[in-house]
């Protein structure tokens, strides 16, 4: 199934004058939240999908999308009413976040999302899980984890830009669950997902909330996301 191509552009432009662009597929799973397909997001994704985009730009534009994901992810954390008094002596009834959080990156590509999380949550604790996909079989292998000792009492923002078969992210959630983190206190922040990955993930760990920028068309014979952006880790760190 093709992803839908729709008119993208400011709402004051008549429909017929908007350029056509491919937007994310819609998903049925209740716990999957796709970022609004704004002209800005589509333009940023267009930059990082382009094979001619060089590393410096790839990092810059990926970071901008990561920031949008983190800001949206934070909307899913609990808040309590919090009233403050302004400098003119009047009260404002607002909210503040309740509860402790931490980030957990799936190494290597997930580490690229740590800075965006830190920009919004200063001095946030960050755990690491090293999972690598076998290049031939696409099966994930767990090599290492190092997590905050009180992680079971925290909300966890799990970070990985790519959800292909879903194997790596599911394995990471299993690690978190083995440390006592309940599924419904995990938010998975992701740039591009495949429909197959979303389905597998939602089937195996249905209570984990997924915040993604885009659900793509599918997977190729090597389990790379199509059209995707290639190997995120290579493009961000080494190419
Ligand atoms: C990539 C990506 C995910 C995983 C997605 O990592 O960052 O972790 O593949 O694929 P899956 O959904 O089929 O498991 P990779 O293992 O290639 O390592 P890297 O982060 O070092 O690039
Ligand atoms: N990992 C990536 O970096 N890209 C893909 O398309 C699939 C897995």
């Amino acid at each position: 199934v093709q992803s839908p191509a729709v008119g993208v552009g400011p709402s004051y432009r008549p429909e017929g004058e908007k350029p056509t662009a491919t937007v994310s597929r819609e998903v049925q799973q209740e716990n999957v939240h796709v970022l609004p397909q704004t002209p800005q997001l589509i333009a940023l994704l267009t930059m990082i999908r382009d094979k001619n985009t060089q590393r410096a730009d790839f990092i810059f534009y990926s970071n901008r999308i990561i920031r949008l994901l983190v800001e949206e992810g934070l909307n899913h954390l609990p808040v309590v009413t919090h009233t403050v008094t302004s400098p003119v002596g009047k009260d404002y009834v607002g909210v503040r976040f309740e509860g402790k959080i931490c980030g957990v990156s799936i190494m290597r590509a997930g580490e690229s999302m740590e800075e965006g999380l830190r920009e919004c949550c200063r001095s946030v604790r960050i755990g690491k899980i090293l999972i690598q996909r076998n290049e031939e079989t696409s099966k994930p292998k767990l090599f290492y984890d190092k997590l905050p000792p009180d992680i079971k009492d925290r909300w966890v923002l799990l970070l990985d830009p790519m959800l292909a078969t879903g194997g790596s992210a599911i394995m990471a959630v299993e690690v978190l669950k083995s440390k006592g983190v309940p599924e419904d206190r995990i938010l998975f922040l992701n740039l591009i997902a495949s429909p197959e990955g979303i389905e597998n993930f939602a089937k195996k760990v249905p209570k984990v909330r997924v915040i993604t920028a885009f659900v793509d068309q599918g997977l190729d014979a090597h389990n790379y996301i199509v059209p995707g952006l290639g190997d995120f880790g290579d493009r961000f760190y080494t190419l």
Side-chain angles (χ1 to χ4, degrees), residues 219-238:
L219 295 171
D220 71 8
H222 304 286
N223 286 322
Y224 268 75
I225 301 172
V226 286
L229 50 70
D231 188 307
F232 188 97
D234 284 357
R235 295 191 67 189
F236 198 95
Y237 288 114
T238 57

Side-chain angles (χ1 to χ4, degrees), residues 55-120:
R55 204 171 74 92
D57 281 337
F58 186 84
I59 293 170
F60 179 79
Y61 292 104
S62 297
N63 282 343
R64 288 190 53 197
I65 303 173
I66 290 163
R67 180 67 185 252
L68 296 174
L69 287 167
V70 172
E71 298 282 6
E72 177 53 25
L74 296 176
N75 285 331
H76 295 260
L77 295 174
V79 288
V80 289
T81 298
H82 182 57
T83 304
V84 292
T85 307
S86 80
V88 297
K90 295 290 179 197
D91 282 356
Y92 171 73
V93 182
V95 294
R96 65 176 160 72
F97 285 114
E98 185 191 46
K100 296 188 291 184
I101 66 162
C102 71
V104 170
S105 58
I106 305 179
M107 295 161 71
R108 156 194 68 157
E111 290 175 294
S112 66
M113 302 174 75
E114 293 175 4
E115 196 182 317
L117 179 59
R118 282 216 179 84
E119 282 168 4
C120 299

Side-chain angles (χ1 to χ4, degrees), residues 28-182:
Q28 308 307 323
Q29 292 83 355
E30 224 173 77
N31 270 355
V32 179
H33 304 269
V34 182
L35 290 187
Q37 302 294 291
T38 58
Q40 178 175 213
L41 177 63
I42 299 296
L44 297 173
L45 283 163
T46 306
M47 288 300 296
I48 64 169
R49 286 178 186 278
D50 185 348
K51 67 177 184 182
N52 294 317
T53 296
Q54 297 300 301
R55 204 171 74 92
D57 281 337
F58 186 84
I59 293 170
F60 179 79
Y61 292 104
S62 297
N63 282 343
R64 288 190 53 197
I65 303 173
I66 290 163
R67 180 67 185 252
L68 296 174
L69 287 167
V70 172
E71 298 282 6
E72 177 53 25
L74 296 176
N75 285 331
H76 295 260
L77 295 174
V79 288
V80 289
T81 298
H82 182 57
T83 304
V84 292
T85 307
S86 80
V88 297
K90 295 290 179 197
D91 282 356
Y92 171 73
V93 182
V95 294
R96 65 176 160 72
F97 285 114
E98 185 191 46
K100 296 188 291 184
I101 66 162
C102 71
V104 170
S105 58
I106 305 179
M107 295 161 71
R108 156 194 68 157
E111 290 175 294
S112 66
M113 302 174 75
E114 293 175 4
E115 196 182 317
L117 179 59
R118 282 216 179 84
E119 282 168 4
C120 299
C121 312
R122 271 179 309 180
S123 75
V124 63
R125 283 168 173 72
I126 293 189
K128 310 256 184 183
I129 302 180
L130 175 55
I131 293 172
Q132 292 283 284
R133 214 168 75 135
N134 180 298
E135 285 189 8
E136 266 84 58
T137 63
S138 305
K139 294 271 174 278
K141 185 169 155 92
L142 172 67
F143 288 91
Y144 162 95
D145 67 82
K146 199 83 182 171
L147 300 164
D150 60 348
I151 193 162
K152 69 171 178 38
D153 304 319
R154 293 178 180 272
W155 282 79
V156 177
L157 296 152
L158 182 63
L159 312 172
D160 194 330
M162 305 304 278
L163 182 78
T165 64
S168 305
I170 292 165
M171 187 173 268
V173 171
E174 297 303 344
V175 171
L176 296 174
K177 284 168 69 177
S178 76
K179 310 283 179 190
V181 183

